[in-house]
Amino acid sequence: MFALHAGFSARRLILWGEVSGNTPLRRTKSGVHPNDAGPRYLLETLAAIGVRVAHSGIATMEVSLPSVRGAPLASSPLIAEPPAGGEPKIALWKVTTAALEPAAALELLCLCADKELLHAATIAGIDLTYWVTAMRFAAALAARQQFLPDLVSENGRFHARWRAAYIGRDNDRRSALAAAMPPAARALTPQIAAETLLDDFVDTLIDELIRASSPSKQLSGAAVHDRWLTALHAPAGVLTGSEAELHALHLQVREWQRPIAIAANAPYRLCFRLEEPKPDAMETWRVRYLFQARNDPSLLVPAETVWNAKAAKSRLLSQAGFQPREHLLFSLGQASGICPRIEESLKSPAPAGYEFDATGAHDFLNAKAIGLEEAGFGVMLPAWWSRKGTKARLSASAHVKSPFQKGGGLSLTTLLDFQWQLSIGGENITLAELRALAAMKAPLVQFRGQWVQLNANEIQTALEFWKKKGTGQTTAREVLQMALGAAELPGPLEFSGVTAEGWVGDLIGKLQGHTPFTETPPPDGLLATLRPYQIRGYSWLAFLKEWGLGACLADDMGLGKTIQTLSLIQRDWSVASGAPVLLLCPTSVIGNWQREAARFTPQLPVMVHHGLGRMRGGSFVDLARQHAIVLSSYALLHRDFEHLKEVSWGGIVLDEAQNIKNPETKQATAARALTADYRIALTGTPVENNVGDLWSIMDFLNPGFLGTRAEFKRNFFLPIQSENNAAASAALKQRTGPFILRRLKTDQSIISDLPQKLEMKVFCTLTKEQASLYAAVVDESLKKIESSEGIQRKGVVLATLARLKQICNHPAQFLGDNSPLPGRSGKLSRLTEMLEEAISVGDRVLIFSQFSEMGEMLRLHLQETFGREALFLHGGVPKKKRDHMVERFQDEPDGPPLFILSLKAGGTGLNLTRANHVFHFDRWWNPAVENQATDRAFRIGQKKNVQVHKFVCAGTLEERIDEMIEQKTKVAAGVLGAGESWLTELSTTQLKNLFALQKTAVAE
């Protein structure tokens, strides 16, 4: 594991790294950090992340770290366990560092944004995460143009630099950010104060951003000021000239900046309040000058009070070193450069404001107010004004007539009559009234007591729109899209919704949640009792299917997405055996679907389209039509697309639908190209990385509802991801909400419906490597079994069981060669998928294995995959450390979410009620022992519902032994007290059947 850290010094971001103690790079020389990465490892890691550093940037520096007993404390338990005992003291350690120039630092910090795991087995330290936050602050200042040109002396030379200008609340933000700086961010520079270090960092990034965004300029003048302006745009920024003239310019720049510094620190700031006309003077607007207290924005002092000599000396204004009248006059002088009317008002002896007409008010609202606010002045506008203009806007709504009730073949393709209605602030407006407003030729007008901003172009656009599209016809699907916010109107016209009658209005009301949809009774033939929330989910699927609308069932893991989907398919099949449903899922869960269908809906004929012997061409089409469900994998979706598209599918179901989150992949493209009567997506993580994941899933379910990919990026992805735009988030939720049903285990209404303990089998497949090893061991072992007897035969059988279980776990466990883990085990792949979903919702997990070596492999793999610490308790852990592990897992709010336990060491005597998931990675085949392990979480004190996942490799001895236990045969009766020894009594023929590898075991 590698932790990347960062400090800042001399305009450089200084990187250093810690490597976990099990690497060969461990250095123990006195004064050298024992987990120092070393030059080569640091460079290789940075290159893997995407950052190139020249060897010349590598150096050795001292870092101040808390240390105990001559050893530095690791930044994370992922790197090293903290040493026992002793009070931490600050000590100096030498570390290898890499210095990044500002441009490279920006690139790295952008790569690190919103990521805890930077690369495989590489995590961001808390100090590096802090600099990412500081970068965002610097970028925000630069975007608002809050920076000033400066001249600074560095190493005996003068440099032209850009630096931040902190105005108003930005001073508070700077102070808060400096106070939040973690000590680790100053570990390389402990002598520099946090606020000074932050200022240097922000100024450096702003300087880099401004230079990068503007081309170099060479002014023709030879004066020092011309050379200064040229240097401000030059890459290095070095200013040449005599020391005397450069020193004089330096003093001039400081004097020029002084008023800004004074204004930034004054207890009051100048504020402008726009006051609308009084009833007896309808054309007269007024801007009033006020002082606004910085520490209490609600405290306002009129300019008249400030000019009054007696009042200016009051306790309110006469604060130490503050000259109110001088400050007011100085502030008005600054503001006059933005608003010429302010300059005119300064001709009066005691300026307190100025007056103008509606045109002037419109100009102030749309232009001057923004400029004044950006310059740091206070601006107070009427409540009816918003960033987009007057709240009462000219808008259009669609009124749909649907006199018929649902039935008679009506669907979303049915043509409907509709008409457009224009309104202002919710008040309908006639064509004559609109023309009358146009005749007033004023940018701000009052309409029925409301101030409205209208211009000639906006009114003309509305008139033309009304003439062209006043009435017409459209499909019910288009009406539905408009009702969910997808309508696009010309120019500045806003869309205010759809009003509809009859069945269309009823449908829109149900989709928007205003009226409930009818719950559907569970189907005949379903061998299960649906819980209330499952009935709602199944009924919701049936409701959307009835209208040909796609549905994303995004219930939390363990809430029963499978049984809700099977209930829908059973309902349709029991009514009329129609077209088959294509169900696509990861290879690792095909077996799960097959068994769940056999368990809950045994009447449904299920066909598995998988493996080398699968049907193709006309034979596949004929066979598929005879089944209710055709199970296949994402791996075959693109490969067998030509065969799959020939079937008229009743429905397409995508399980683990996040597999198509990338719309450019072949499987996502193929999924969208298949035709079916309805479509369903099942996923516990509809948004896995960012909102961009939604487009591909929604475009599969309901093509066009989110627009093209480019439109989605423009309207939703960029505003939400880059700007955290609340309006865009609300609009996206409005469009997608009706088609996504998301329930969490933490919902009170759901918790009351769940059992206290939910057990499920997780059937996994073998990789080809696992299958090859498995077959070789079976062949070799059966020969030994046939040629041995007695104690020797029992030993061979038990050894074979252990070896086969190791292969089912992972080839690396069987081979013992420390080879890479990813992509080689069906069990490990499935565990990783399920843990990703559990961790994303804040769940905590216990993972049991009977093999200590497998537990250690899991610990390393999961830490590298998720960048989160995983605890591992086995027989060799001392009691004190064992108790500390339990305490951390149980009591620390941000403690490790994963706890791996060997079955013998952790199966009894522990209270781990913080966990709500229990994974049995490999089986002990003794229900009593497994239940004891499960009871570490499912016991008194547990406030959550516990989900137990028992992993079984399909088509192997694991599945057949599990079947024997489930069927409670005479052989299995001995399992409760005999562990695995009963298997040694089976005949050679029985063992051959037990060990045999079936075709369904291998993933394609």
Side-chain angles (χ1 to χ4, degrees), residues 177-248:
L177 191 56
M181 183 182 290
R186 297 174 55 223
L188 291 171
T189 54
Q191 72 281 4
I192 302 178
E195 189 158 301
T196 301
L197 193 62
L198 177 64
D199 285 348
D200 290 346
F201 175 83
V202 170
D203 288 345
T204 298
L205 290 198
I206 283 181
D207 185 71
E208 175 60 31
L209 288 168
I210 304 308
R211 291 181 195 276
S213 63
S214 59
S216 297
K217 295 180 180 179
Q218 183 66 46
L219 298 181
S220 57
V224 67
H225 298 89
D226 294 330
R227 299 201 308 273
W228 177 47
L229 292 176
T230 299
L232 282 168
H233 296 278
V238 178
L239 186 61
T240 58
S242 69
E243 184 176 348
E245 71 171 349
L246 294 180
H247 184 69

Side-chain angles (χ1 to χ4, degrees), residues 143-179:
R144 297 199 301 271
Q145 298 187 5
Q146 289 182 214
F147 49 81
L148 295 170
D150 201 1
L151 185 64
V152 298
S153 177
E154 296 175 1
N155 301 321
R157 305 180 72 182
F158 280 98
H159 294 260
R161 302 285 188 216
W162 298 94
R163 68 174 181 84
Y166 300 103
I167 298 172
R169 295 182 183 177
D170 286 320
N171 274 306
D172 299 333
R173 296 188 184 102
R174 175 180 61 168
S175 298
L177 191 56

Side-chain angles (χ1 to χ4, degrees), residues 476-487 495 703-707 735:
R477 176 178 288 274
E478 290 172 336
V479 169
L480 180 58
Q481 287 180 263
M482 286 193 294
L484 298 178
F495 179 67
F705 268 53
L706 291 181
R735 290 206 203 176

Side-chain angles (χ1 to χ4, degrees), residues 275-291:
E275 298 173 353
E276 58 189 277
K278 296 178 181 178
D280 57 345
M282 288 302 295
E283 293 300 320
T284 305
W285 296 72
R286 180 176 178 80
V287 168
R288 186 177 298 278
Y289 304 155
L290 306 159
F291 259 174

Side-chain angles (χ1 to χ4, degrees), residues 28 111 215 334 381 463 642 794:
T28 57
L111 288 172
Q334 286 185 310
L381 302 177
L463 289 170
E642 293 302 320
K794 289 184 178 181

